[in-house]
Amino acid sequence: MSRCTVVLAVVAALALSLSNSGCALWGSKERAAQAEREAALPKEVRNATDDSAMVLVPSGEFLMGAPAQQKRVTLKAFYIDRNEVTNAQYAKFLADAEKKGDAAWRHPDQPSTKKTHVPELWPHPDLGQAKANHPVVGVDWFDAYAYAKWADKRLPTEAEWERAARGTDARVYPWGNAPPEKGLTYRANFFASYLGADGFRFTSPVGAFPTGASPVGCLDMAGNAAEWCADWYGPPPAESRLQNPTGPATGTERVTRGGAWNLGADSIRSFTRSRLEPQRQLGSVGFRCAKDASPE
């Protein structure tokens, strides 16, 4: 090898090293800038359309899934409703939909036979509009989607929902690992209290169990009403690390999370997954909304 060749090889190696260092430095600066922008975001915002409080869920990694199937999932920062959507809030949406029609808010796949977004149990004395501050139930996935778009929000992905419910320490329930009725202090509205041990035979007013709050401050993410998510239901992905997952591209059933007032303790764990055809309307299923967190 000639002296010239050796010199060129050394120069090339040095250039590559400097390039890699520059990339690493640039990446580090970008991450620092992103962290600074995120730190400036308000921890809670108020949505004007439905007057809902939304809490910030910071970006980062968390453990998602049942203990034997856990994945490391990284999410962007987002906001999510502190409480489930109530009958009173949903009534405002219905009034707008009746006045203006739902063309601006309906999902493209919404069945043409669907005439209104009135919940199945709207007249029910315990599960309908009479309970203004209780979660709306008896809504299908298309109802939840349309409401979220009307409110300038969206449905949370399954990953976002679980991150908001259990934090980053892989806890079993939003409040930790203790059973929901430990010491006869109920932390959620679920089947053990169905006959009224906690004062609620069906749904409870949103936020009635403050000791059941999640690490970011969300309420009723276990029990009360199960909640529609944006994702199609499918088996957990094979990858062990995921970034901003949105679920399968197609499917026949949508994900619901959080259990409900008529389900047992195992069904209200933060990693328990359920599924439902998107047109089903049950007295145990409602929803909450999310939206992207913009640093601007």
Side-chain angles (χ1 to χ4, degrees):
M1 181 181 296
S2 69
R3 178 177 298 178
C4 181
T5 303
V6 171
V7 170
L8 288 175
V10 169
V11 170
L14 179 60
L16 180 60
S17 175
L18 289 172
S19 174
N20 288 339
S21 297
C23 288
L25 182 60
W26 182 86
S28 177
K29 287 182 176 179
E30 279 295 297
R31 287 193 295 272
Q34 174 60 30
E36 186 175 345
R37 289 194 296 268
E38 189 174 315
L41 291 170
K43 299 298 183 285
E44 181 176 314
V45 295
R46 203 87 195 177
N47 182 276
T49 305
D50 64 357
D51 193 32
S52 58
M54 304 189 78
V55 297
L56 176 67
V57 182
S59 63
E61 185 181 88
F62 79 106
L63 290 172
M64 179 178 178
Q69 299 176 313
Q70 283 183 347
K71 314 287 184 183
R72 291 191 175 275
V73 177
T74 302
L75 295 177
K76 297 180 295 185
F78 63 97
Y79 286 100
I80 191 166
D81 287 346
R82 182 185 300 280
N83 294 307
E84 295 164 317
V85 173
T86 66
N87 286 310
Q89 291 171 316
Y90 196 82
K92 294 179 181 179
F93 161 67
L94 286 181
D96 255 11
E98 183 177 5
K99 181 180 179 180
K100 305 172 185 176
D102 74 339
W105 313 310
R106 73 168 71 112
H107 190 273
D109 296 334
Q110 180 176 300
S112 58
T113 55
K114 189 174 180 65
K115 301 300 182 185
T116 73
H117 291 283
V118 176
E120 178 75 16
L121 299 169
W122 202 230
H124 194 286
D126 294 303
L127 293 170
Q129 60 183 318
K131 301 287 188 179
N133 198 36
H134 288 228
V136 64
V137 292
V139 289
D140 68 17
W141 187 88
F142 297 104
D143 297 327
Y145 175 94
Y147 176 98
K149 193 167 184 181
W150 165 80
D152 197 26
K153 298 189 280 189
R154 57 177 173 78
L155 292 178
T157 66
E158 184 178 12
E160 288 175 334
W161 190 98
E162 187 170 326
R163 166 64 179 89
R166 73 190 306 201
T168 59
D169 58 3
R171 58 184 59 194
V172 175
Y173 297 103
W175 55 86
N177 297 321
E181 78 289 2
K182 184 178 180 181
L184 296 181
T185 298
Y186 287 98
R187 296 163 181 82
N189 179 13
F190 71 114
F191 186 74
S193 57
Y194 171 65
L195 296 179
D198 61 0
F200 304 107
R201 188 179 175 192
F202 297 101
T203 57
S204 62
V206 297
F209 296 85
T211 57
S214 78
V216 296
C218 288
L219 298 166
D220 298 312
M221 296 200 85
N224 215 15
E227 301 175 17
W228 288 110
C229 292
D231 307 39
W232 289 110
Y233 184 91
E239 298 88 346
S240 60
R241 290 182 177 271
L242 302 166
Q243 189 163 1
N244 301 307
T246 56
T250 60
T252 59
E253 299 166 306
R254 295 282 183 177
V255 173
T256 65
R257 286 299 205 101
W261 55 268
N262 58 350
L263 297 174
D266 285 351
S267 297
I268 66 172
R269 295 175 299 182
S270 297
F271 54 78
T272 299
R273 309 177 70 223
S274 298
R275 53 187 173 176
L276 199 62
E277 296 88 348
Q279 288 180 259
R280 291 288 301 278
Q281 296 172 298
L282 299 181
S284 56
V285 179
F287 64 101
R288 76 180 72 215
C289 304
K291 70 177 184 179
D292 296 341
S294 173
E296 287 72 31

